[in-house]
């Protein structure tokens, strides 16, 4: 969006900003919805270049499974919350299907990566779970390692680089402020 | 990639002192010249300079009013004059392009003034290439980050050399894959409480001190990573690039930054209490920004975000600090000063 200001029209420009400020809630709503759609699209088309699934995950989930769809379609639980002050894009606080953690926590795990021990009492439970899916891990293997898949951080970077917010604000400027000219 | 000159021996007609209260890497040399022509020689293991790109060092002199030539740096037959540095009350980073110099084992500093106090520190050579851009960054961080897990105990019984069995007086905060430092000399790793992954190299007697080690591991530690640990991994690379000009003392160069690296530094421990303790120490020592030595330079790291991951699904609790940092630039081209310029002017016919 480009704004050319003529000193003579400066007063009109200030009035335009005041008009736009009355539509901030609407602008934020559109920005949030845009970002949500962009995030889902990026992951589904793998524009964020996530690490491929391990052979164990492929065996449990199938070859058509993609990263981040595990445990109840995490992407489908990416929601927008609209308030007067701001619109927030976040993962749901609902618990995942067949699990004890929320989608929000699951998303955080994707950003950070994690390790699950395969030794001790915790490790025995993990080994039983894997064995139930026909996966037998070497006795000497210490950890299941899930590397970070920082899809959210990457999407934010791509979104900012594409300047979508600028286009949205430009659209609202043309819709509401151009009237005063 | 940066490599300090090894086995340095300092000598000369100037007075030379060790100094630890003003330095880049913990210790520097203070050289006091009291006459023109006095010098300091640094000899070191022979090195072929043409295999590197730049000689890098830090110098400090007290500010002077006149802008004068203070000293000569002599290396491989090249004499480089250094003028008064009066900008800050801190070291100035000096670069000398050495890509066309030969094998050397000596550098000489010669005073050009009758009275000069000079601090010299962190001398080495460096070369930045596509191959070592990222790995040198990760290794520099690995060398810099250090925390204290703060748990110590003793052996409850003797261990024979090559034995894989160990017994401690206290197993508090010792996890299945913990690394142990025995007698401040040998690092071993548990695979279960009481069993080591490999036999100990030496015998130890009951009562020998055993500390919980907190290693700093790079990305390829994966399966055998200990618990607790500090991990450093590169999680993203962006493609923003921009050009810059870097000035060496004998040449200037057009360089290009090839994007930022996004790095996770994470603390991990099965004991959440200990993890929180480490996190508080990390926040105090490193926190939202810190400086570390990388490719011969003092480099700043700034935090992007912090994430605390509880043991939700049987995973080990982890706290992750994410940083974005610009990697060292590569040289695109060199700019040589014009020393001789000949103009032939022809009179035109009228």
């Amino acid at each position: 969006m480009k704004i050319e200001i003529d000193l003579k029209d400066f007063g009109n420009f200030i009035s335009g900003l005041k008009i736009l400020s009355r539509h901030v809630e609407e602008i934020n709503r559109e920005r949030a919805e845009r970002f949500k759609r962009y995030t889902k699209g990026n992951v589904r088309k793998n524009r964020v270049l996530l690490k491929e699934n391990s052979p164990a995950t492929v065996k449990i989930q199938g070859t058509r499974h993609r990263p981040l769809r595990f445990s109840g379609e995490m992407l489908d639980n990416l929601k927008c919350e609209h308030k007067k002050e701001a619109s927030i894009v976040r993962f749901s606080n609902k618990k995942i299907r067949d699990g004890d953690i929320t989608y929000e926590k699951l998303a955080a795990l994707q950003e950070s990566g994690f390790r699950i021990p395969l030794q001790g009492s915790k490790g025995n439970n993990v080994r039983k779970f894997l064995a139930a899916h026909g996966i037998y891990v070497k006795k000497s293997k210490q950890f299941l390692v899930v590397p970070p898949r920082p899809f959210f951080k990457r999407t934010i970077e791509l979104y900012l680089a594409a300047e979508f917010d600028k286009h949205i604000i430009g659209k609202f400027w043309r819709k509401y402020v151009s009237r005063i000219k | 990639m940066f490599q300090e000159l090894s086995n340095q021996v300092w000598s000369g007609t100037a007075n030379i002192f060790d100094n630890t209260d003003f330095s880049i890497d913990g210790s520097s040399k203070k050289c006091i010249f009291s006459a023109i022509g006095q010098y300091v020689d640094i000899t070191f293991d022979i090195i072929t300079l043409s295999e590197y790109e730049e000689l890098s060092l830090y110098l400090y002199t007290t500010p002077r009013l006149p802008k004068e030539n203070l000293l000569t740096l002599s290396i491989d037959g090249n004499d480089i004059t250094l003028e008064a540095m009066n900008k800050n009350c801190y070291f100035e980073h000096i670069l000398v392009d050495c890509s066309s110099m030969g094998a050397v084992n000596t550098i000489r500093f010669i005073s050009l003034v009758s009275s000069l106090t000079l601090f010299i520190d962190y001398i080495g050579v460096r070369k930045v290439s596509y191959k070592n851009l990222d790995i040198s960054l990760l290794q520099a961080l690995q060398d810099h980050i250090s925390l204290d897990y703060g748990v110590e105990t003793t052996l409850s019984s003797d261990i024979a050399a090559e034995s894989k069995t160990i017994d401690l007086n206290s197993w508090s905060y010792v996890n299945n894959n913990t690394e142990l430092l025995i007698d401040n000399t040998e690092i071993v790793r548990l695979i279960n409480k009481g069993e080591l992954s490999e036999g100990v190299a030496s015998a130890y007697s009951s009562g020998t001190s055993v500390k919980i080690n907190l290693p700093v591991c790079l990305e390829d530690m994966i399966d055998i990573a200990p618990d607790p640990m500090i991990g450093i991994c590169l999680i993203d690379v962006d493609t923003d690039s921009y050009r810059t000009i870097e000035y060496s003392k004998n040449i200037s160069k057009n360089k290009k930054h090839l994007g930022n690296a996004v790095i996770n530094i994470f603390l991990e421990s099965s004991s959440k209490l200990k993890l929180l303790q480490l996190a508080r120490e990390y926040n105090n020592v490193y926190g939202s920004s810190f400086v570390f030595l990388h490719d011969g330079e003092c480099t700043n790291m700034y935090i992007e975000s912090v994430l605390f991951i509880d043991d939700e699904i049987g995973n080990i609790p982890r706290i992750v600090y994410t940083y974005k940092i610009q990697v060292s630039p590569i040289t695109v081209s060199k700019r040589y000063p014009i020393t001789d310029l000949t103009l032939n002017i022809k009179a035109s016919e009228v």
Side-chain angles (χ1 to χ4, degrees):
Chain A
M1 178 183 76
K2 188 179 174 182
I3 304 170
E4 289 177 340
I5 300 175
D6 187 310
L7 281 176
K8 294 176 188 173
D9 294 330
F10 192 68
N12 282 340
F13 172 68
I14 298 297
S15 303
L17 287 179
K18 285 181 182 168
I19 291 171
L20 204 64
S21 68
R22 285 182 231 134
H23 299 279
V24 165
E25 197 177 330
E26 201 181 332
I27 293 170
N28 285 340
R29 184 181 288 265
E30 179 148 342
R31 289 169 66 214
E33 293 291 343
R34 184 76 172 89
F35 180 74
K36 186 183 82 175
R37 287 196 306 273
Y38 187 69
T39 304
K40 290 185 179 186
N42 267 357
V43 173
R44 288 188 174 129
K45 292 176 187 174
N46 202 16
R47 280 199 286 257
V48 282
L49 303 174
L50 299 172
K51 272 192 175 162
E52 290 302 313
N53 288 330
S54 69
T57 305
V58 171
K59 189 162 186 182
I60 295 170
Q61 297 297 328
T63 53
R64 298 180 71 183
H65 160 75
R66 293 204 183 142
L68 304 188
R69 274 201 180 169
F70 180 45
S71 301
E73 286 85 32
M74 191 175 69
L75 280 183
D76 289 340
N77 282 274
L78 182 62
K79 307 286 182 198
C80 288
E81 282 178 17
H82 300 295
K83 299 179 183 178
K84 197 171 178 192
E85 311 80 34
S87 289
I88 303 165
V89 182
R90 61 183 302 171
F91 287 93
S92 161
N93 266 332
K94 278 188 335 191
K95 285 202 174 168
I96 62 174
R97 263 191 313 173
D98 308 321
D100 275 336
I101 65 169
T102 63
Y103 288 104
E104 199 173 44
K105 293 276 184 177
L106 188 65
L109 283 168
Q110 300 295 327
E111 293 290 313
S112 68
F114 54 96
R115 292 191 296 157
I116 299 178
L118 289 172
Q119 309 292 336
S121 56
K122 272 187 188 174
N124 288 338
N125 288 336
V126 175
R127 285 178 185 272
K128 279 182 198 163
F129 169 80
L130 293 172
H133 289 84
I135 299 166
Y136 299 95
V137 187
K138 268 195 268 191
K139 205 175 170 185
S140 56
K141 191 169 171 72
Q142 306 281 320
F143 296 103
L144 276 185
V145 176
V146 178
R149 290 190 171 93
F151 71 99
F152 214 54
K153 204 181 296 295
R154 281 188 187 167
T155 301
I156 290 170
E157 298 278 333
L158 290 170
Y159 182 88
L160 291 173
E163 297 190 329
F164 288 123
D165 279 349
K166 237 179 168 180
H167 295 310
I168 290 168
I169 291 170
K171 173 182 141 187
F172 277 82
W173 184 275
R174 286 187 295 277
K175 182 177 174 185
Y176 290 113
V177 179
S178 60
R179 287 178 195 170
I180 65 172
K181 288 193 175 171
Chain B
M1 182 199 72
F2 174 80
Q3 179 187 315
E4 258 192 284
L5 300 178
S6 40
N7 294 321
Q8 295 173 27
V9 176
W10 293 62
S11 61
T13 54
N15 289 319
I16 304 168
F17 305 93
D18 289 330
N19 184 71
T20 55
D21 61 359
F22 184 56
S23 78
I24 295 292
D25 63 348
S27 68
S28 62
K29 292 287 188 187
K30 180 177 176 181
C31 307
I32 301 179
F33 303 83
S34 52
I36 295 174
Q38 282 194 342
Y39 62 87
V40 167
D41 279 337
I42 310 168
T43 54
F44 40 87
D45 288 352
I46 195 163
I47 193 165
T48 305
L49 292 176
S50 56
E51 291 175 2
Y52 299 89
E53 194 179 349
E54 285 153 351
L55 177 78
S56 166
L57 64 147
Y58 284 81
L59 295 182
Y60 173 78
T61 64
T62 50
R64 288 175 178 243
L65 278 176
K67 194 176 163 69
E68 58 187 332
N69 292 333
L70 288 186
L71 67 155
T72 300
L73 190 167
S74 181
I75 181 166
D76 193 34
N78 297 276
D79 288 341
I80 294 149
T81 304
L82 302 174
E83 65 268 9
M85 293 157 266
N86 54 7
K87 294 173 197 167
N88 307 305
C89 295
Y90 200 62
F91 283 93
E92 181 166 332
H93 186 209
I94 306 289
L95 292 171
V96 175
D97 182 80
C98 63
S99 52
S100 54
M101 297 183 187
V104 299
N105 68 339
T106 307
I107 293 174
R108 174 172 280 196
F109 292 91
I110 306 165
S111 178
L112 298 174
V113 295
S114 58
S115 173
L116 174 67
T117 299
L118 181 69
F119 287 84
I120 308 174
D121 200 2
Y122 204 48
I123 308 178
V125 285
R126 74 178 191 181
K127 181 170 183 154
V128 177
S129 67
Y130 301 125
K131 200 166 63 169
N132 63 30
L133 257 181
D134 293 299
I135 192 64
S136 74
L137 173 63
L138 297 175
Q139 286 172 342
L141 284 169
Q142 187 181 29
D143 290 340
H144 181 74
I145 305 282
S146 173
L147 296 174
D148 181 13
Y149 196 65
V151 175
E152 194 168 341
T153 181
T154 51
L155 294 176
S156 60
S157 56
D158 296 348
I159 309 180
E162 294 181 31
S163 170
K164 282 190 178 182
T165 305
I166 188 167
D167 206 2
L168 304 177
N169 275 314
S170 169
W171 288 96
S172 294
Y173 303 116
V174 180
N175 306 310
N176 278 340
N177 295 91
T178 298
E179 274 192 7
L180 305 171
L181 175 64
I182 305 178
D183 200 26
N184 283 320
T185 51
E186 185 177 350
I187 293 177
V188 294
R189 193 171 56 82
L190 293 168
I191 51 174
N192 283 306
K193 288 185 183 177
E195 189 184 350
L196 298 172
S197 59
E198 288 172 4
V200 289
S202 312
Y204 299 98
S205 53
S206 170
T208 303
S209 79
V210 177
K211 279 187 197 169
I212 308 302
N213 199 37
L214 185 59
V216 184
C217 304
L218 294 185
E219 197 159 1
D220 55 355
M221 57 4 175
I222 309 296
D223 265 3
I224 57 170
D227 171 19
M229 65 171 276
I230 301 173
I232 301 176
C233 63
L234 186 81
I235 62 165
D236 202 2
V237 176
D238 70 27
T239 53
D240 287 347
S241 63
Y242 71 90
R243 291 177 185 263
T244 186
I245 297 173
E246 198 164 78
Y247 298 95
S248 304
K249 284 298 173 185
N250 54 347
I251 202 172
S252 62
K253 296 175 183 175
N254 293 317
K255 290 196 174 185
K256 195 172 178 185
H257 287 278
L258 297 176
N260 301 310
V262 182
I263 290 173
N264 273 356
I265 297 176
F266 64 87
L267 314 176
E268 203 173 61
S269 171
S270 289
S271 162
K272 204 186 306 187
L273 186 66
K274 281 307 213 177
L275 177 65
L276 293 170
Q277 171 207 310
L278 291 174
R280 295 302 179 193
E281 185 185 351
Y282 187 93
N283 291 350
N284 184 42
V285 178
Y286 305 106
S288 58
S289 70
F290 60 89
V291 177
F292 68 107
L293 294 172
H294 168 230
D295 281 343
E297 298 202 31
C298 295
T299 304
N300 289 298
M301 284 275 276
Y302 297 101
I303 205 160
E304 293 261 304
S305 64
V306 184
L307 199 56
F308 175 64
I309 304 296
D310 213 332
D311 50 350
E312 303 285 347
I313 50 173
N315 55 296
I316 301 176
R318 173 186 282 202
I319 185 161
V320 183
Y321 301 88
T322 303
Y323 296 85
K324 187 185 274 195
I325 180 169
Q326 202 171 63
V327 293
S328 299
I330 59 161
T331 299
V332 175
S333 59
K334 295 182 185 178
R335 309 159 115 210
Y336 294 93
I338 297 173
T339 51
D340 290 299
L341 178 65
T342 304
L343 295 174
N344 289 325
I345 301 171
K346 245 183 173 176
S348 58
E349 290 178 3
V350 176

